[in-house]
Amino acid sequence: MTARWERRLQLAAHPLLFPLARGLARLGPVVRVPGLGVVVNDAATARAVLTDTGTFSKTAPGAPADLWTPVLGPSVLLNMAGEDHARLRRKLSGLFTPAAVRALCERVLAGVLAGMTARLAAGAPVDLVAEVRRCAGAVIAELVGLPPDPDRFDAMFARGTEVTAMVRLTRRGLTPPQVARARAVMAELTAPAVTAYRDAAGATVPGRMRQLGLTEDEARGAVAAFVLTGTETLVSFVPRLVALAHDSGWLARLAADPARTDAVVGEALRYTVPSPVMLRGVAAPGRVGRVPVAPGDRVVIMTMSCARASGSFDPERPHPPELRQLWFGAGAHYCLGMPLALAEIEAILGAVLAAWRQAGPLAVRQRRAAARVLIPGYAKLVLARA
């Protein structure tokens, strides 16, 4: 059941790209595909590309800058490189330490998750997708300086996915109408962050960014990056994590032994691959594996193929060194928001397990795959007491 549902999620999201990716993975570790780029299917090669920022860049043609600079401007972690990127990461790093994000999640999510646990323990069915969307919205509201308002969270999520749904692997950028639409959406979503920045309110994340010396554009760009990359990733991953753990029997094992949580979460990240594709542009002549590349080439890292090569879902199998957390990137561009994502995941999974321990086993009662989304996931995943 585990593999069948994961395949269904992939095909619902990408009915053409998923079979193409699986087919390319069988052709070897590195394959040049006309119209697409140099495709990497091997974890060691992918890590070598991600850590060689002199040859492979986020700002060269074909890289993420082609997508996001026209929408968000040049001062966003998603589309920066070199010293400017390093300087912005240094300024932001203190906001995303494990201790800081745990405190943020406890402050923002405690009431939401306590309510979910109580409903599950009382026997009420809970749509985990909706609950995770609510949690992600509460965290984003904190990041952009908005008061928590659950009625706005679904709208915020829908607006963010409206932008990410425009992305196509076969195009290097968005069309002019898409750029105009995406800019309008992101201006709307980040407007509260700009207000909070200008107010210099130290209790808000944008206010603290100003105190740390970020410019208004840098603060807006940082918030935009977390809105784009953090919300949809979390809403996709957590229900898949719980479904995988349920289908494989690991949810029961975690309820009895929470010490195995890190292993199960890590393996679910490996198996679901929250960043299924990563892009780099070639900035200088070099090689990807045995394939020569030159400026103008695009490198398409099929993170999904790199990770899935290790086999089926098995939390007791260690990850090889070259694969270690590759879905969060590697080197200078390793995901700055990773501690926040893990803190949110731990908090939500903990609330599900708390309901199990209070009232007995839980089961997946209903599920439906999300169609035509950037990151595969469930549109609905209903949990209830078994």
Side-chain angles (χ1 to χ4, degrees), residues 2-156:
T2 298
R4 185 175 76 246
W5 265 104
E6 276 296 312
R7 179 177 176 81
R8 188 177 298 182
L9 297 181
Q10 296 283 355
L11 287 171
H14 300 292
L16 299 179
L17 179 60
F18 178 67
L20 173 64
R22 301 308 297 154
L24 291 175
R26 299 186 186 99
L27 298 180
V30 183
V31 183
R32 184 181 286 277
V33 181
L36 191 61
V38 177
V39 177
V40 178
N41 299 307
D42 169 72
T45 307
R47 187 171 295 276
V49 169
L50 293 173
T51 53
D52 181 359
T53 55
T55 306
F56 308 102
S57 172
K58 275 196 165 187
T59 60
D66 282 355
L67 281 169
W68 301 124
T69 299
V71 176
L72 303 173
S75 299
V76 186
L77 288 173
L78 295 173
N79 61 354
M80 297 177 71
E83 180 52 36
D84 288 342
H85 174 263
R87 177 185 55 80
L88 184 55
R89 281 184 68 98
R90 286 194 297 270
K91 288 182 177 181
L92 288 169
S93 60
L95 297 176
F96 297 98
T97 64
V101 296
R102 276 196 301 270
L104 184 151
C105 287
E106 288 172 5
R107 182 173 70 252
V108 172
L109 299 182
V112 177
L113 293 178
M116 183 182 76
T117 296
R119 294 198 307 278
L120 283 170
V126 167
D127 179 4
L128 190 61
V129 175
E131 292 296 320
V132 177
R133 193 159 55 230
R134 187 179 180 194
C135 291
V139 171
I140 291 299
E142 177 77 5
L143 287 177
V144 304
L146 277 173
D149 180 3
D151 292 338
R152 294 174 57 100
F153 295 160
D154 282 350
M156 289 171 58

Side-chain angles (χ1 to χ4, degrees), residues 171-231:
R171 291 199 307 256
R172 294 198 174 197
L174 304 179
T175 66
Q178 287 177 325
V179 168
R181 181 61 181 160
R183 290 182 69 175
V185 169
M186 295 312 300
E188 175 188 328
L189 291 177
T190 59
V194 174
T195 300
Y197 177 92
R198 292 174 180 174
D199 291 344
T204 67
V205 172
R208 291 200 293 275
M209 289 177 179
R210 178 172 175 173
Q211 294 171 357
L212 290 169
L214 274 71
T215 67
E216 182 177 303
D217 284 345
E218 288 172 339
R220 184 185 66 85
V223 168
F226 289 117
V227 169
L228 278 177
T229 62
T231 308

Side-chain angles (χ1 to χ4, degrees), residues 78-378:
L78 295 173
N79 61 354
M80 297 177 71
E83 180 52 36
D84 288 342
H85 174 263
R87 177 185 55 80
L88 184 55
R89 281 184 68 98
R90 286 194 297 270
K91 288 182 177 181
L92 288 169
S93 60
L95 297 176
F96 297 98
T97 64
V101 296
R102 276 196 301 270
L104 184 151
C105 287
E106 288 172 5
R107 182 173 70 252
V108 172
L109 299 182
V112 177
L113 293 178
M116 183 182 76
T117 296
R119 294 198 307 278
L120 283 170
V126 167
D127 179 4
L128 190 61
V129 175
E131 292 296 320
V132 177
R133 193 159 55 230
R134 187 179 180 194
C135 291
V139 171
I140 291 299
E142 177 77 5
L143 287 177
V144 304
L146 277 173
D149 180 3
D151 292 338
R152 294 174 57 100
F153 295 160
D154 282 350
M156 289 171 58
F157 179 75
R159 300 291 274 163
T161 55
E162 182 182 343
V163 175
T164 58
M166 298 176 185
V167 177
R168 295 288 183 273
L169 191 58
T170 51
R171 291 199 307 256
R172 294 198 174 197
L174 304 179
T175 66
Q178 287 177 325
V179 168
R181 181 61 181 160
R183 290 182 69 175
V185 169
M186 295 312 300
E188 175 188 328
L189 291 177
T190 59
V194 174
T195 300
Y197 177 92
R198 292 174 180 174
D199 291 344
T204 67
V205 172
R208 291 200 293 275
M209 289 177 179
R210 178 172 175 173
Q211 294 171 357
L212 290 169
L214 274 71
T215 67
E216 182 177 303
D217 284 345
E218 288 172 339
R220 184 185 66 85
V223 168
F226 289 117
V227 169
L228 278 177
T229 62
T231 308
E232 189 171 0
T233 301
L234 193 77
V235 175
S236 164
F237 175 70
V238 175
R240 291 170 77 183
L241 160 67
V242 172
L244 282 169
H246 168 271
D247 295 346
S248 62
W250 273 94
L251 201 59
R253 296 174 68 175
L254 288 182
D257 181 15
R260 305 302 304 275
T261 297
D262 287 349
V264 173
V265 170
E267 175 65 354
L269 287 166
R270 195 275 305 175
Y271 193 70
T272 64
V273 199
S275 298
V277 177
M278 298 181 186
L279 302 176
R280 291 294 185 270
V282 177
R287 287 182 174 273
V288 179
R290 297 182 178 181
V291 177
V293 292
D297 282 335
R298 180 170 74 158
V299 180
V300 180
I301 298 172
M302 290 290 186
T303 326
M304 177 181 65
S305 299
C306 298
R308 286 291 186 91
S310 290
S312 59
F313 180 74
D314 181 3
E316 295 185 317
R317 179 181 55 232
H319 296 171
E322 63 272 15
L323 188 59
R324 185 177 178 270
Q325 296 188 327
L326 189 67
W327 36 90
F328 286 123
H333 292 280
Y334 188 78
C335 179
L336 183 66
M338 182 269 285
L340 176 58
L342 292 181
E344 292 181 77
I345 292 163
E346 180 182 341
I348 301 168
L349 178 59
V352 171
L353 295 176
W356 185 302
R357 287 191 288 270
Q358 289 176 26
L362 301 173
V364 175
R365 294 301 190 191
Q366 183 182 356
R367 61 179 109 186
R368 186 175 76 249
R372 304 287 181 171
V373 291
L374 180 63
I375 304 175
Y378 287 98

